[in-house]
Amino acid sequence: MIQKLGLGGGCHWCTEAIFQSLKGVSDVQQGWVSSTEAMSFSEAILLSFNPAEITLWDLLHIHLDTHSATSAHQMRKKYRSAIYVFSKTQKAEVENTLEALQTEYSEKLIIQVLPFNDFRKNSEEYLNYYRRDPEKPFCRNVINPKLNKLRKKYRKQLDPDKISLSEAGE
């Protein structure tokens, strides 16, 4: 059964490219998300995934490893470190997974688990940002290093039909 999850952290262009590369992720929508607890919108993605193909554990681990999940930097309003959930059951599962994953980080995770409220899709010109032009400076300098980290640490979760398994730039 397909599930939905919202993820916010860093730039939604980066997050979109990362999660578009994974097995079991059937849809990634990039834009702005709000929560019933944090009504302001911040950059995020909504993804649809099949838990039989990719686990919530893997999705959250990848999310934590590809944005500043332990940094309370000054851009947190625009780049809220968050997981947006769609049910109380999903919230409990996410919180339990984050508690278990905390042992892998020396600093405290500051990621919020928030109930999903609303989504605003980004302008068409910014959707599929990386896939449209991976040679843009932002793609080469910011997104490629994150994708290369995926290739090294999460190779089993990558879909070779969606991403080259060799490092970008080779």
Side-chain angles (χ1 to χ4, degrees):
M1 183 169 94
I2 301 298
Q3 293 185 21
K4 282 190 160 197
L5 191 66
L7 301 172
C11 169
H12 49 199
W13 296 342
C14 296
T15 311
E16 175 189 54
I18 290 162
F19 288 90
Q20 284 178 332
S21 304
L22 301 176
K23 293 177 186 173
V25 174
S26 57
D27 185 46
V28 177
Q29 297 180 51
Q30 178 233 108
W32 306 84
V33 175
S34 72
S35 165
T36 55
E37 293 176 14
M39 293 304 288
S40 64
F41 283 83
S42 65
E43 291 192 21
I45 62 164
L46 290 182
L47 61 90
S48 299
F49 70 100
N50 182 342
E53 294 179 50
I54 188 162
T55 65
L56 182 64
W57 175 279
D58 285 336
L59 289 171
L60 297 184
H61 205 208
I62 289 167
H63 184 53
L64 295 174
D65 274 355
T66 55
H67 84 281
S68 302
T70 60
S71 173
H73 58 75
Q74 64 188 21
M75 296 292 289
R76 271 297 166 223
K77 185 172 182 174
K78 182 178 180 183
Y79 302 122
R80 184 181 301 125
S81 183
I83 299 165
Y84 300 93
V85 295
F86 288 81
S87 69
K88 289 180 181 179
T89 302
Q90 189 180 47
K91 181 178 182 181
E93 187 178 0
V94 166
E95 288 173 338
N96 290 337
T97 302
L98 289 174
E99 186 177 330
L101 285 168
Q102 176 63 66
T103 62
E104 297 188 25
Y105 297 87
S106 57
E107 296 177 52
K108 182 169 176 32
L109 294 170
I110 61 165
I111 197 160
Q112 299 173 282
V113 180
L114 300 169
F116 173 83
N117 180 54
D118 195 11
F119 177 76
R120 294 182 185 160
K121 194 173 189 177
N122 207 347
S123 303
E124 186 66 35
E125 66 190 287
Y126 297 115
L127 300 178
N128 293 303
Y129 190 82
Y130 182 81
R131 288 184 175 175
R132 286 181 191 232
D133 190 357
E135 293 305 314
K136 286 182 179 178
F138 183 84
C139 295
R140 285 194 327 263
N141 297 328
V142 179
I143 299 175
N144 275 344
K146 291 181 180 197
L147 292 176
N148 288 337
K149 184 175 190 172
L150 280 181
R151 288 177 179 97
K152 289 176 185 165
K153 190 169 180 180
Y154 297 100
R155 192 171 201 81
K156 289 180 181 177
Q157 287 79 18
L158 295 177
D159 185 335
D161 293 331
K162 296 178 182 177
I163 186 174
S164 165
L165 296 181
S166 63
E167 284 197 26
E170 286 187 0

